[in-house]
Amino acid sequence: MLNIERSKANYQRAQRHLAGGVASSLRASMKPVPLYAESAKGARLQDVDGNTYIDYLLAYGPLILGHAHDGLTDSILASMRKGYTYGLQHEGEIELADLLVKVLPCAEKVAFSGSGTEAVMLALRLARAHTGKSKIVRFHGHYHGWSDSIFTSFPGAGLSGPAAGGETSAVPPGTMGQSDNSLDDIILLPWNDPAALESTLRTRASEIAAVISEPVMCNSGCIQPKPGYLELIARLTKELGIVFILDEVITGFRLSLGGAHERFGIKPDLVTIGKAMGGGIAISAVAGTSALMKYIDSSDVSHLGTLNGNGVAITAALTTIRELASNEGTAYKRMEELLVTLSAGIRALLSKHRIPGVINQLGPVFHLMFTDEREVTDFDTFNKRDAGKYARFAELMLSEGVLLRPNGLWYISTAHSLPDIEVTLLAVDRALGRL
Ligand SMILES: Cc1ncc(COP(=O)(O)O)c(C=O)c1O
């Protein structure tokens, strides 16, 4: 029986003065209680009750080098000793901009911000400035941060989406407190539906500034794009004078050094990157063509942020990217091999326990779902999974010493090892047995 009494007491105590008891709403969903961390190193995290877990939550994605990576920690400490942030320019910004342009195929210029949400806000602004149009096409089941102008359709928000082939223009807000008209500019389409995309883009091209898409539907089932689908977005947007924004906040520096657009060989106009870019320190960026970024050059588009480009965040990104690039990027191959071993092992255990389930995997990330469907390739099928059963599984895994995200998405870091995977598979076997 897992002893998490101190986490339970902390959660009670937190609710006195901390709204919601957690710092980001999603974290409240962890069962049996949101855990309190004491410390973490590599692939392991220790909670305040002294329990140790192999960590596949990885802080919702950023910790691509694992926790408290020695080289990253040393470089951050050295940078802090020189001053945290100056409100002036420093040479690290130039180095990071040069490095991003070198490794991201779509990048001619970049701009820095603090979170994925902010990067998406800037990308939308650039697209509207460039096209003089205001509508944004986004897809059901994707997530692009929590700003009012785009926040809707987040899985779990209980929204009904567009029927296959159709579009939704009266898009409902994703949360209380969002103004009723904040999403008037959003056109919501089903993803991976070429006919719906082509029909909407051709009929409404004169209104549409941008199409924004995750390259892989990581936030809802880790669903891959159909062959040719991202290429179709790229081709139609180019033909119709619409900006193609690829939201690589999860996939950037996770699927490969050049992100999903390198892996899939497509050329969006803009990409947004965050999470893994800073290895766990807050930093994000927009990268793209000079034709779009020139609006920042000319100050026609305002790009603001007190802590943008601060020394600590820039150092963290430089060190993380260089570490990932070292040894010719072999870290990606290794992470992917480990996760293939893990997912194959879990599939075998699902068969052994006669529990129907699906794993969708791409590179160092996968989504495990309990479902009777043979495959999960769209948002509607994803929504048929048994989310409650998965939450119970995640809770059982906790008592087996494995920390999972309660929604089914698993991340891996360069700090995970084959013995970690073997221990995890033994834990999965026991947890499935008890499920
Ligand atoms: C694809 C995508 N875009 C944007 C965001 C928002 O990033 P942040 O939480 O850093 O604001 C997220 C966060 O999970 C994301 O997955």
Side-chain angles (χ1 to χ4, degrees), residues 294-302:
K294 73 174 184 215
Y295 299 95
I296 303 179
D297 293 336
S298 63
S299 300
D300 288 317
V301 161
S302 297

Side-chain angles (χ1 to χ4, degrees), residues 82-98:
K82 290 169 62 187
Y84 325 130
T85 189
Y86 310 111
L88 295 179
Q89 292 46 252
H90 59 101
E91 289 171 358
E93 295 172 326
I94 307 171
E95 269 178 71
L96 182 58
D98 290 351

Side-chain angles (χ1 to χ4, degrees), residues 115-117 120 143-145 214 219 247 249-250 275:
S115 68
T117 298
V120 168
Y143 176 61
H144 302 293
E214 288 183 58
N219 278 295
D247 184 350
V249 168
I250 290 183
K275 296 208 189 237

Side-chain angles (χ1 to χ4, degrees), residues 66-206:
H67 292 276
H69 179 273
D70 286 338
L72 181 54
T73 308
D74 289 347
S75 70
I76 291 170
L77 288 175
S79 159
M80 289 184 89
R81 287 202 182 89
K82 290 169 62 187
Y84 325 130
T85 189
Y86 310 111
L88 295 179
Q89 292 46 252
H90 59 101
E91 289 171 358
E93 295 172 326
I94 307 171
E95 269 178 71
L96 182 58
D98 290 351
L99 183 58
L100 289 176
V101 168
K102 189 169 154 211
V103 298
L104 299 174
C106 79
E108 289 168 5
K109 282 202 169 170
V110 301
F112 302 131
S113 43
S115 68
T117 298
E118 288 174 80
V120 168
M121 284 162 51
L122 177 62
L124 297 181
R125 189 175 283 183
L126 287 168
R128 289 188 171 116
H130 184 64
T131 58
K133 302 182 271 181
S134 62
K135 298 278 184 208
I136 306 292
V137 170
R138 57 153 299 169
F139 298 100
H140 200 46
H142 290 202
Y143 176 61
H144 302 293
W146 62 291
S147 75
D148 278 8
S149 67
I150 192 108
F151 182 62
T152 185
S153 175
F154 190 48
L159 298 170
S160 62
E167 74 182 50
T168 305
S169 281
V171 183
T175 170
M176 266 180 85
Q178 220 173 327
S179 112
D180 282 346
N181 55 19
S182 57
L183 297 172
D184 282 359
D185 278 334
I186 295 291
I187 300 170
L188 188 66
L189 287 182
W191 193 61
N192 251 346
D193 184 337
L197 178 78
E198 180 146 14
S199 146
T200 296
L201 293 197
R202 290 209 181 279
T203 23
R204 303 186 65 178
S206 63

